Amino acid sequence: MSLEDELFEQRAARVREIEALGYRPFGRRFDFTCTIPDVLRQYDGKTAEELVPETRIKVAGRVQTIRRMGKAGFMHIQQNGSRLQCYVRRDAVGERDYQLFGLLDIGDIIGAEGYVFRTRTGELSLHVETLEFLSKTLLAMPEKWHGLEDVEIRYRQRYLDLIANPESREIFLKRAKIIASLRRQLEERDYVEVETPMMQPLYGGAAAKPFVTHHNTLDIDLYLRIAPELYLKRLIVGGLERVYEINRNFRNEGLSTRHSPEFTMIEFYQAYTDYRGLMDLTEELLRQVAIDATGGTVVPYGDVQLDFGKLRRLSMREAVLEYWEGDGKPSLDNLRDPEWLKPRGGLADLFEQHAEKKLIQPTLIYDFPVEVSPLARNKPDEPELVERFEIIAAGGELGNAYTELNDPMEQRRRFDTQIAMRESGDEEAHRMDEDYLRAMAYGMPPTGGEGIGIDRLVMLLTNSQSIRDVILFPLLRPEGEIGMADKLRRLDE
């Protein structure tokens, strides 16, 4: 028998001992009067003389440390990221509860009632008068409470990561603040939150490979959405003039530190504005979300400090010229010349080669070539460009926005071009969406639309270097046989 199996059997035996004492090993309702963070906020500033024994409280949490000393002992319990020391004395809790204290393992979940006091060393503690058992842990915690460093285990067993690593807990609390901030800011500006289909008969709104599923009753293939864009713009046509959706998207592509096949975005659309208006809004949103999540506009990311206080703005051509290194640096006229650009892959390729990775501070890159922007409106004075910008930070894309194309005839021509690209082998090119064209034919007001990657924004604001660090349950290759069901089955035999 392995050491892990031996420990499992020992803890399973303690389940029976706890039952023999009259406790439920897997718990009952426990109405605590305050959380452990509440206890620390309320009492940590008080002296020993100011703490009144008559003030009784009830707390609950997971056992973090145990130190037994004959007729008394100490333990720390953890709840909501904070821990409190508990002092357990036999003559205070009684023989039955003290026997329970002797059966506790690191990781067990308990309730305790008593009064707050300070020990001789000055540590704020709970003088326990009653113990209640709430849940038994059958598996050992990491050897050191903060010792879970194996990245594979952290991703596969996020529950254990959250127990053992306070920094992981903090990431996901900040993630919640970031989403709440974006939602609040948009609703303050009269945006309406909506929901659009996640299974679509025709995918669109981005250039990506979809996941395919099949609906048995209708006998049709459906696609997990790669973007909600075309549905949200239908709502603009319908008169919902400011809409947003915090959405899950799915793209059947590779994995990297910045890419996940399942990811979260916020997309918002506003009638009667354009990409310039969205630039101003984006600057306001990101400045405030940084403040709400971190307390300020300057945040550490790797070896640099990212400043969300003001976003720099550069056209794509300006960025190529500014960051070009090496021979053959073009002139502005070169970057305007289709014949010069064509053998070099185009303006967008030159930007990716020479500028994108060097844009560390949050920057808005605007005026994209039309060939990479099938849903954006042309610039009236430069029809080879569209009114589009991307948010670039730490060398990668954070968001994408543009003045929406609202001419149905031009949109049909763009779809025709995309179809030709598909026929020539581009699997990610857009498909013809007849219903979207019909919606546009009813009249779409001038509109600006934007999508911001929530996962990537959380990475930047929590100094996380991998997208898997900010997704609670990232997609991983299946692991081998776990055997947990067999272990639990043996307990019933």
Side-chain angles (χ1 to χ4, degrees), residues 2 41 45 53 62 70 85-86 96 107 131 157 170 188 243 247 266 272 292 308 318 322 329 359 408 440 483 489 491:
S2 69
R41 280 191 294 269
R62 188 181 293 273
Q85 179 170 267
C86 296
R96 175 172 170 265
L131 274 178
Q157 301 178 36
E170 186 62 27
E188 287 174 350
V243 294
N247 54 82
I266 183 168
Y272 307 110
D292 291 342
F308 286 90
E318 289 170 341
E322 180 170 333
K329 183 174 181 178
L359 292 167
M440 292 184 71
R489 193 175 293 114
L491 299 183

PDB file of all heavy atoms in Angstrom, residues 2 41 45 53 62 70 85-86 96 107 131 157 170 188 243 247 266 272 292 308 318 322 329 359 408 440 483 489 491:
ATOM      1  N   SER A   2       0.554   2.203  -0.877  1.00  0.00           N
ATOM      2  CA  SER A   2       1.341   3.433  -0.945  1.00  0.00           C
ATOM      3  C   SER A   2       1.068   4.294   0.274  1.00  0.00           C
ATOM      4  O   SER A   2       0.079   4.118   1.000  1.00  0.00           O
ATOM      5  CB  SER A   2       0.983   4.220  -2.209  1.00  0.00           C
ATOM      6  OG  SER A   2      -0.330   4.729  -2.116  1.00  0.00           O
ATOM      7  N   ARG A  41     -11.129  42.273  11.469  1.00  0.00           N
ATOM      8  CA  ARG A  41     -11.427  43.703  11.310  1.00  0.00           C
ATOM      9  C   ARG A  41     -11.989  44.312  12.593  1.00  0.00           C
ATOM     10  O   ARG A  41     -11.660  45.435  12.967  1.00  0.00           O
ATOM     11  CB  ARG A  41     -12.425  43.898  10.158  1.00  0.00           C
ATOM     12  CG  ARG A  41     -11.805  43.869   8.773  1.00  0.00           C
ATOM     13  CD  ARG A  41     -12.797  44.341   7.721  1.00  0.00           C
ATOM     14  NE  ARG A  41     -13.925  43.438   7.583  1.00  0.00           N
ATOM     15  CZ  ARG A  41     -13.955  42.421   6.726  1.00  0.00           C
ATOM     16  NH1 ARG A  41     -12.916  42.184   5.943  1.00  0.00           N
ATOM     17  NH2 ARG A  41     -15.021  41.643   6.645  1.00  0.00           N
ATOM     18  N   GLY A  45      -7.657  45.542  16.431  1.00  0.00           N
ATOM     19  CA  GLY A  45      -7.106  46.782  16.972  1.00  0.00           C
ATOM     20  C   GLY A  45      -7.301  46.945  18.464  1.00  0.00           C
ATOM     21  O   GLY A  45      -6.870  47.964  19.037  1.00  0.00           O
ATOM     22  N   PRO A  53     -14.812  38.915  27.643  1.00  0.00           N
ATOM     23  CA  PRO A  53     -15.132  37.491  27.503  1.00  0.00           C
ATOM     24  C   PRO A  53     -16.616  37.225  27.305  1.00  0.00           C
ATOM     25  O   PRO A  53     -16.989  36.192  26.744  1.00  0.00           O
ATOM     26  CB  PRO A  53     -14.638  36.892  28.826  1.00  0.00           C
ATOM     27  CG  PRO A  53     -13.604  37.845  29.311  1.00  0.00           C
ATOM     28  CD  PRO A  53     -14.051  39.197  28.870  1.00  0.00           C
ATOM     29  N   ARG A  62     -11.469  26.028   7.820  1.00  0.00           N
ATOM     30  CA  ARG A  62     -10.665  24.829   7.569  1.00  0.00           C
ATOM     31  C   ARG A  62      -9.440  24.845   8.471  1.00  0.00           C
ATOM     32  O   ARG A  62      -8.742  25.861   8.569  1.00  0.00           O
ATOM     33  CB  ARG A  62     -10.235  24.790   6.104  1.00  0.00           C
ATOM     34  CG  ARG A  62      -9.554  23.484   5.695  1.00  0.00           C
ATOM     35  CD  ARG A  62      -9.131  23.516   4.243  1.00  0.00           C
ATOM     36  NE  ARG A  62     -10.258  23.534   3.322  1.00  0.00           N
ATOM     37  CZ  ARG A  62     -10.872  22.456   2.872  1.00  0.00           C
ATOM     38  NH1 ARG A  62     -10.490  21.243   3.281  1.00  0.00           N
ATOM     39  NH2 ARG A  62     -11.877  22.550   2.017  1.00  0.00           N
ATOM     40  N   GLY A  70      -1.163  18.081  25.717  1.00  0.00           N
ATOM     41  CA  GLY A  70      -1.796  17.446  26.873  1.00  0.00           C
ATOM     42  C   GLY A  70      -3.238  17.859  27.044  1.00  0.00           C
ATOM     43  O   GLY A  70      -4.110  17.416  26.295  1.00  0.00           O
ATOM     44  N   GLN A  85      -6.370  32.056  15.181  1.00  0.00           N
ATOM     45  CA  GLN A  85      -5.925  31.039  16.129  1.00  0.00           C
ATOM     46  C   GLN A  85      -7.055  30.704  17.094  1.00  0.00           C
ATOM     47  O   GLN A  85      -7.789  31.577  17.544  1.00  0.00           O
ATOM     48  CB  GLN A  85      -4.712  31.534  16.919  1.00  0.00           C
ATOM     49  CG  GLN A  85      -4.206  30.512  17.944  1.00  0.00           C
ATOM     50  CD  GLN A  85      -2.876  30.882  18.548  1.00  0.00           C
ATOM     51  OE1 GLN A  85      -1.835  30.472  18.064  1.00  0.00           O
ATOM     52  NE2 GLN A  85      -2.906  31.682  19.620  1.00  0.00           N
ATOM     53  N   CYS A  86      -7.190  29.408  17.392  1.00  0.00           N
ATOM     54  CA  CYS A  86      -8.172  28.932  18.360  1.00  0.00           C
ATOM     55  C   CYS A  86      -7.443  28.231  19.509  1.00  0.00           C
ATOM     56  O   CYS A  86      -6.556  27.398  19.265  1.00  0.00           O
ATOM     57  CB  CYS A  86      -9.157  27.963  17.702  1.00  0.00           C
ATOM     58  SG  CYS A  86     -10.169  28.692  16.409  1.00  0.00           S
ATOM     59  N   ARG A  96     -15.922  15.379  25.589  1.00  0.00           N
ATOM     60  CA  ARG A  96     -16.319  14.938  24.242  1.00  0.00           C
ATOM     61  C   ARG A  96     -15.712  15.838  23.173  1.00  0.00           C
ATOM     62  O   ARG A  96     -15.115  15.342  22.189  1.00  0.00           O
ATOM     63  CB  ARG A  96     -17.840  14.933  24.149  1.00  0.00           C
ATOM     64  CG  ARG A  96     -18.398  14.607  22.765  1.00  0.00           C
ATOM     65  CD  ARG A  96     -19.912  14.436  22.860  1.00  0.00           C
ATOM     66  NE  ARG A  96     -20.548  14.351  21.563  1.00  0.00           N
ATOM     67  CZ  ARG A  96     -21.086  15.381  20.901  1.00  0.00           C
ATOM     68  NH1 ARG A  96     -21.013  16.606  21.437  1.00  0.00           N
ATOM     69  NH2 ARG A  96     -21.674  15.206  19.737  1.00  0.00           N
ATOM     70  N   GLY A 107      -6.819  20.297   7.397  1.00  0.00           N
ATOM     71  CA  GLY A 107      -7.752  20.306   6.278  1.00  0.00           C
ATOM     72  C   GLY A 107      -9.195  20.059   6.663  1.00  0.00           C
ATOM     73  O   GLY A 107     -10.102  20.352   5.870  1.00  0.00           O
ATOM     74  N   LEU A 131     -17.078  22.967  20.211  1.00  0.00           N
ATOM     75  CA  LEU A 131     -16.609  22.580  18.883  1.00  0.00           C
ATOM     76  C   LEU A 131     -17.720  21.852  18.138  1.00  0.00           C
ATOM     77  O   LEU A 131     -18.501  21.106  18.743  1.00  0.00           O
ATOM     78  CB  LEU A 131     -15.395  21.643  18.980  1.00  0.00           C
ATOM     79  CG  LEU A 131     -13.994  22.245  19.109  1.00  0.00           C
ATOM     80  CD1 LEU A 131     -12.964  21.131  19.229  1.00  0.00           C
ATOM     81  CD2 LEU A 131     -13.677  23.135  17.921  1.00  0.00           C
ATOM     82  N   GLN A 157      -6.347  20.682 -10.278  1.00  0.00           N
ATOM     83  CA  GLN A 157      -7.033  20.645  -8.985  1.00  0.00           C
ATOM     84  C   GLN A 157      -7.106  22.071  -8.441  1.00  0.00           C
ATOM     85  O   GLN A 157      -6.484  22.388  -7.425  1.00  0.00           O
ATOM     86  CB  GLN A 157      -6.307  19.711  -8.023  1.00  0.00           C
ATOM     87  CG  GLN A 157      -6.200  18.281  -8.531  1.00  0.00           C
ATOM     88  CD  GLN A 157      -5.427  17.375  -7.588  1.00  0.00           C
ATOM     89  OE1 GLN A 157      -5.500  17.503  -6.370  1.00  0.00           O
ATOM     90  NE2 GLN A 157      -4.660  16.456  -8.159  1.00  0.00           N
ATOM     91  N   GLU A 170      -6.450  35.473  -4.702  1.00  0.00           N
ATOM     92  CA  GLU A 170      -6.470  36.912  -4.963  1.00  0.00           C
ATOM     93  C   GLU A 170      -6.684  37.205  -6.444  1.00  0.00           C
ATOM     94  O   GLU A 170      -7.384  38.161  -6.803  1.00  0.00           O
ATOM     95  CB  GLU A 170      -5.166  37.537  -4.474  1.00  0.00           C
ATOM     96  CG  GLU A 170      -5.128  39.052  -4.559  1.00  0.00           C
ATOM     97  CD  GLU A 170      -6.193  39.733  -3.707  1.00  0.00           C
ATOM     98  OE1 GLU A 170      -6.617  39.143  -2.685  1.00  0.00           O
ATOM     99  OE2 GLU A 170      -6.619  40.849  -4.083  1.00  0.00           O
ATOM    100  N   GLU A 188     -23.771  52.508 -16.041  1.00  0.00           N
ATOM    101  CA  GLU A 188     -23.856  53.932 -15.728  1.00  0.00           C
ATOM    102  C   GLU A 188     -24.002  54.777 -16.985  1.00  0.00           C
ATOM    103  O   GLU A 188     -24.499  55.909 -16.929  1.00  0.00           O
ATOM    104  CB  GLU A 188     -22.613  54.377 -14.956  1.00  0.00           C
ATOM    105  CG  GLU A 188     -22.567  53.887 -13.521  1.00  0.00           C
ATOM    106  CD  GLU A 188     -21.262  54.221 -12.819  1.00  0.00           C
ATOM    107  OE1 GLU A 188     -20.310  54.673 -13.495  1.00  0.00           O
ATOM    108  OE2 GLU A 188     -21.180  54.020 -11.587  1.00  0.00           O
ATOM    109  N   VAL A 243     -25.826  48.222 -26.138  1.00  0.00           N
ATOM    110  CA  VAL A 243     -25.926  46.863 -25.617  1.00  0.00           C
ATOM    111  C   VAL A 243     -24.532  46.327 -25.316  1.00  0.00           C
ATOM    112  O   VAL A 243     -23.534  46.753 -25.906  1.00  0.00           O
ATOM    113  CB  VAL A 243     -26.634  45.910 -26.600  1.00  0.00           C
ATOM    114  CG1 VAL A 243     -28.091  46.302 -26.775  1.00  0.00           C
ATOM    115  CG2 VAL A 243     -25.921  45.879 -27.944  1.00  0.00           C
ATOM    116  N   ASN A 247     -19.405  37.482 -22.480  1.00  0.00           N
ATOM    117  CA  ASN A 247     -19.722  36.255 -23.199  1.00  0.00           C
ATOM    118  C   ASN A 247     -18.561  35.269 -23.209  1.00  0.00           C
ATOM    119  O   ASN A 247     -17.403  35.658 -23.129  1.00  0.00           O
ATOM    120  CB  ASN A 247     -20.104  36.598 -24.634  1.00  0.00           C
ATOM    121  CG  ASN A 247     -19.041  37.421 -25.333  1.00  0.00           C
ATOM    122  OD1 ASN A 247     -18.054  36.883 -25.836  1.00  0.00           O
ATOM    123  ND2 ASN A 247     -19.215  38.738 -25.381  1.00  0.00           N
ATOM    124  N   ILE A 266     -15.857  40.804 -23.217  1.00  0.00           N
ATOM    125  CA  ILE A 266     -16.973  41.717 -23.105  1.00  0.00           C
ATOM    126  C   ILE A 266     -17.064  42.448 -24.437  1.00  0.00           C
ATOM    127  O   ILE A 266     -16.070  42.968 -24.940  1.00  0.00           O
ATOM    128  CB  ILE A 266     -16.821  42.694 -21.923  1.00  0.00           C
ATOM    129  CG1 ILE A 266     -18.057  43.590 -21.814  1.00  0.00           C
ATOM    130  CG2 ILE A 266     -15.549  43.526 -22.020  1.00  0.00           C
ATOM    131  CD1 ILE A 266     -18.126  44.380 -20.517  1.00  0.00           C
ATOM    132  N   TYR A 272     -24.767  55.669 -32.998  1.00  0.00           N
ATOM    133  CA  TYR A 272     -24.497  57.093 -33.198  1.00  0.00           C
ATOM    134  C   TYR A 272     -23.123  57.524 -32.706  1.00  0.00           C
ATOM    135  O   TYR A 272     -22.912  58.693 -32.393  1.00  0.00           O
ATOM    136  CB  TYR A 272     -25.607  57.953 -32.549  1.00  0.00           C
ATOM    137  CG  TYR A 272     -26.973  57.546 -33.015  1.00  0.00           C
ATOM    138  CD1 TYR A 272     -27.850  56.903 -32.145  1.00  0.00           C
ATOM    139  CD2 TYR A 272     -27.374  57.741 -34.339  1.00  0.00           C
ATOM    140  CE1 TYR A 272     -29.097  56.478 -32.579  1.00  0.00           C
ATOM    141  CE2 TYR A 272     -28.623  57.318 -34.782  1.00  0.00           C
ATOM    142  CZ  TYR A 272     -29.474  56.683 -33.897  1.00  0.00           C
ATOM    143  OH  TYR A 272     -30.704  56.264 -34.334  1.00  0.00           O
ATOM    144  N   ASP A 292     -10.255  50.233  -9.791  1.00  0.00           N
ATOM    145  CA  ASP A 292     -11.172  49.387  -9.008  1.00  0.00           C
ATOM    146  C   ASP A 292     -10.530  48.064  -8.615  1.00  0.00           C
ATOM    147  O   ASP A 292     -10.812  47.518  -7.544  1.00  0.00           O
ATOM    148  CB  ASP A 292     -12.448  49.118  -9.811  1.00  0.00           C
ATOM    149  CG  ASP A 292     -13.307  50.365  -9.980  1.00  0.00           C
ATOM    150  OD1 ASP A 292     -13.099  51.331  -9.217  1.00  0.00           O
ATOM    151  OD2 ASP A 292     -14.173  50.377 -10.868  1.00  0.00           O
ATOM    152  N   PHE A 308      -2.191  52.558 -17.016  1.00  0.00           N
ATOM    153  CA  PHE A 308      -3.493  52.657 -17.656  1.00  0.00           C
ATOM    154  C   PHE A 308      -4.111  54.038 -17.464  1.00  0.00           C
ATOM    155  O   PHE A 308      -5.289  54.243 -17.770  1.00  0.00           O
ATOM    156  CB  PHE A 308      -4.434  51.581 -17.096  1.00  0.00           C
ATOM    157  CG  PHE A 308      -4.119  50.197 -17.589  1.00  0.00           C
ATOM    158  CD1 PHE A 308      -3.230  49.378 -16.899  1.00  0.00           C
ATOM    159  CD2 PHE A 308      -4.708  49.710 -18.748  1.00  0.00           C
ATOM    160  CE1 PHE A 308      -2.938  48.104 -17.357  1.00  0.00           C
ATOM    161  CE2 PHE A 308      -4.427  48.439 -19.210  1.00  0.00           C
ATOM    162  CZ  PHE A 308      -3.530  47.636 -18.520  1.00  0.00           C
ATOM    163  N   GLU A 318       2.048  54.842 -38.473  1.00  0.00           N
ATOM    164  CA  GLU A 318       2.976  55.528 -37.570  1.00  0.00           C
ATOM    165  C   GLU A 318       3.740  54.527 -36.712  1.00  0.00           C
ATOM    166  O   GLU A 318       4.940  54.689 -36.464  1.00  0.00           O
ATOM    167  CB  GLU A 318       2.206  56.505 -36.683  1.00  0.00           C
ATOM    168  CG  GLU A 318       1.669  57.722 -37.413  1.00  0.00           C
ATOM    169  CD  GLU A 318       0.720  58.542 -36.559  1.00  0.00           C
ATOM    170  OE1 GLU A 318       0.191  58.013 -35.542  1.00  0.00           O
ATOM    171  OE2 GLU A 318       0.487  59.719 -36.910  1.00  0.00           O
ATOM    172  N   GLU A 322       7.751  54.067 -36.535  1.00  0.00           N
ATOM    173  CA  GLU A 322       8.442  54.353 -35.275  1.00  0.00           C
ATOM    174  C   GLU A 322       9.255  53.168 -34.772  1.00  0.00           C
ATOM    175  O   GLU A 322      10.348  53.347 -34.227  1.00  0.00           O
ATOM    176  CB  GLU A 322       7.431  54.774 -34.211  1.00  0.00           C
ATOM    177  CG  GLU A 322       8.069  55.082 -32.861  1.00  0.00           C
ATOM    178  CD  GLU A 322       7.118  55.728 -31.876  1.00  0.00           C
ATOM    179  OE1 GLU A 322       6.156  56.401 -32.302  1.00  0.00           O
ATOM    180  OE2 GLU A 322       7.335  55.559 -30.655  1.00  0.00           O
ATOM    181  N   LYS A 329      14.011  50.557 -44.113  1.00  0.00           N
ATOM    182  CA  LYS A 329      12.919  51.280 -43.476  1.00  0.00           C
ATOM    183  C   LYS A 329      12.125  52.054 -44.518  1.00  0.00           C
ATOM    184  O   LYS A 329      12.671  52.818 -45.305  1.00  0.00           O
ATOM    185  CB  LYS A 329      13.452  52.238 -42.424  1.00  0.00           C
ATOM    186  CG  LYS A 329      12.351  52.980 -41.665  1.00  0.00           C
ATOM    187  CD  LYS A 329      12.919  53.813 -40.534  1.00  0.00           C
ATOM    188  CE  LYS A 329      11.812  54.520 -39.769  1.00  0.00           C
ATOM    189  NZ  LYS A 329      12.333  55.301 -38.630  1.00  0.00           N
ATOM    190  N   LEU A 359       5.200  47.160 -28.328  1.00  0.00           N
ATOM    191  CA  LEU A 359       4.223  48.048 -27.693  1.00  0.00           C
ATOM    192  C   LEU A 359       3.901  47.508 -26.304  1.00  0.00           C
ATOM    193  O   LEU A 359       3.009  46.677 -26.137  1.00  0.00           O
ATOM    194  CB  LEU A 359       2.970  48.148 -28.553  1.00  0.00           C
ATOM    195  CG  LEU A 359       3.151  48.876 -29.892  1.00  0.00           C
ATOM    196  CD1 LEU A 359       1.948  48.641 -30.790  1.00  0.00           C
ATOM    197  CD2 LEU A 359       3.374  50.358 -29.670  1.00  0.00           C
ATOM    198  N   PRO A 408     -25.445  47.793 -46.340  1.00  0.00           N
ATOM    199  CA  PRO A 408     -25.671  46.375 -46.655  1.00  0.00           C
ATOM    200  C   PRO A 408     -25.085  45.962 -48.002  1.00  0.00           C
ATOM    201  O   PRO A 408     -24.676  44.803 -48.166  1.00  0.00           O
ATOM    202  CB  PRO A 408     -27.195  46.240 -46.633  1.00  0.00           C
ATOM    203  CG  PRO A 408     -27.720  47.612 -46.832  1.00  0.00           C
ATOM    204  CD  PRO A 408     -26.716  48.539 -46.216  1.00  0.00           C
ATOM    205  N   MET A 440     -29.445  44.362 -41.811  1.00  0.00           N
ATOM    206  CA  MET A 440     -28.824  45.615 -42.222  1.00  0.00           C
ATOM    207  C   MET A 440     -29.685  46.368 -43.226  1.00  0.00           C
ATOM    208  O   MET A 440     -29.716  47.610 -43.238  1.00  0.00           O
ATOM    209  CB  MET A 440     -27.441  45.346 -42.824  1.00  0.00           C
ATOM    210  CG  MET A 440     -26.403  44.853 -41.832  1.00  0.00           C
ATOM    211  SD  MET A 440     -24.789  44.666 -42.610  1.00  0.00           S
ATOM    212  CE  MET A 440     -24.330  46.381 -42.864  1.00  0.00           C
ATOM    213  N   GLY A 483      -8.567   6.831  -9.962  1.00  0.00           N
ATOM    214  CA  GLY A 483      -8.769   5.811  -8.941  1.00  0.00           C
ATOM    215  C   GLY A 483      -9.505   6.283  -7.707  1.00  0.00           C
ATOM    216  O   GLY A 483      -9.640   5.524  -6.742  1.00  0.00           O
ATOM    217  N   ARG A 489     -15.225   3.694  -2.967  1.00  0.00           N
ATOM    218  CA  ARG A 489     -16.058   2.492  -3.006  1.00  0.00           C
ATOM    219  C   ARG A 489     -15.632   1.511  -1.896  1.00  0.00           C
ATOM    220  O   ARG A 489     -16.485   0.850  -1.289  1.00  0.00           O
ATOM    221  CB  ARG A 489     -15.954   1.839  -4.382  1.00  0.00           C
ATOM    222  CG  ARG A 489     -16.985   0.765  -4.666  1.00  0.00           C
ATOM    223  CD  ARG A 489     -16.893   0.267  -6.091  1.00  0.00           C
ATOM    224  NE  ARG A 489     -17.279   1.303  -7.045  1.00  0.00           N
ATOM    225  CZ  ARG A 489     -16.440   1.863  -7.917  1.00  0.00           C
ATOM    226  NH1 ARG A 489     -15.177   1.480  -7.969  1.00  0.00           N
ATOM    227  NH2 ARG A 489     -16.877   2.789  -8.745  1.00  0.00           N
ATOM    228  N   LEU A 491     -14.594   2.177   0.978  1.00  0.00           N
ATOM    229  CA  LEU A 491     -15.094   2.591   2.280  1.00  0.00           C
ATOM    230  C   LEU A 491     -16.506   2.074   2.555  1.00  0.00           C
ATOM    231  O   LEU A 491     -16.924   1.949   3.702  1.00  0.00           O
ATOM    232  CB  LEU A 491     -15.091   4.123   2.396  1.00  0.00           C
ATOM    233  CG  LEU A 491     -13.731   4.811   2.272  1.00  0.00           C
ATOM    234  CD1 LEU A 491     -13.891   6.307   2.476  1.00  0.00           C
ATOM    235  CD2 LEU A 491     -12.751   4.242   3.284  1.00  0.00           C
TER     236      LEU A 491
END
